[in-house]
Amino acid sequence: MPLARILAGTSSVLTTLTLSGCSLVWSCTDTTAERGEAGVRVQVVDTDGRPSGVTAEVLGWRREPHPQVPAEGDQVHFDIRFQGVDGEWNGPVVDVCAVDEKRVVLGCQQVYAQETFGHLGKRTGDSWLHVEHPERTAEVLLIPNDQSDHDGRTCDQDMKDGGGVHPPDTPSPGDQL
């Protein structure tokens, strides 16, 4: 088959794909939202930085042994409240972090509003943060970025449906808030 005929056939296929709305190159992009300002009480925001109508608040915290593993010594036990949570909505998901006096992260975990209890838009609960040096904890802070609606697929994983704005990663020990 002559080279000119092959090139003409390839050109026809590409033209047909382009005109039909298909493309061989997907315009998939991954971006990461900026981490919101951590605080004891935060307005939960989506990945675009828009308020969700939900606030999350650390009601208190203390160092004490976990009742199921008291031999491990003190851990950070905290109380949390979500306000404005719709009964049908499973979100939000926020990061809760124990920090030292310079706001350096000692440990974090995600907390889901559905893990808390209550009604009429107020939900409260408690949880434990396992940190290597609980005695260095000066404060327990929330990071307002909601992660409940993000499916996590990236362009590398799914070129067609992945991508978009991703919530920031949960902070690691040593990160500054």
Side-chain angles (χ1 to χ4, degrees):
M1 182 177 265
L3 182 57
R5 182 180 262 178
I6 293 172
L7 291 176
T10 304
S11 176
S12 296
V13 170
L14 289 175
T15 302
T16 302
L17 286 172
T18 302
L19 291 174
S20 68
C22 296
S23 174
L24 295 177
V25 179
W26 299 106
S27 60
C28 187
T29 58
D30 285 314
T31 56
T32 301
E34 277 192 41
R35 184 175 289 146
E37 182 66 31
V40 173
R41 185 172 197 273
V42 296
Q43 174 74 272
V44 180
V45 296
D46 65 16
T47 52
D48 292 326
R50 293 183 303 239
S52 66
V54 175
T55 57
E57 180 177 9
V58 174
L59 300 174
W61 66 273
R62 56 227 164 261
R63 286 184 297 269
E64 60 189 8
H66 191 289
Q68 294 176 336
V69 284
E72 290 183 8
D74 284 349
Q75 291 304 317
V76 179
H77 186 193
F78 65 92
D79 300 304
I80 188 169
R81 176 175 49 215
F82 290 92
Q83 285 186 254
V85 177
D86 171 325
E88 299 292 318
W89 190 39
N90 286 332
V93 178
V94 294
D95 289 313
V96 180
C97 300
V99 298
D100 68 11
E101 69 281 344
K102 294 181 181 175
R103 294 179 70 141
V104 173
V105 173
L106 303 172
C108 293
Q109 74 179 43
Q110 291 183 343
V111 174
Y112 297 73
Q114 68 228 35
E115 296 173 338
T116 59
F117 304 95
H119 55 80
L120 300 176
K122 288 186 182 179
R123 300 175 63 98
T124 59
D126 70 305
S127 193
W128 297 81
L129 281 165
H130 179 78
V131 298
E132 192 170 335
H133 296 286
E135 71 280 358
R136 291 178 35 206
T137 302
E139 204 169 10
V140 174
L141 300 175
L142 299 166
I143 298 175
N145 304 87
D146 180 21
Q147 302 183 19
S148 62
D149 285 335
H150 186 67
D151 65 16
R153 290 180 294 175
T154 64
C155 292
D156 287 342
Q157 296 164 328
D158 187 344
M159 184 62 93
K160 182 178 175 210
D161 298 319
V165 181
H166 302 274
D169 291 333
T170 297
S172 299
D175 288 352
Q176 181 91 36
L177 296 184

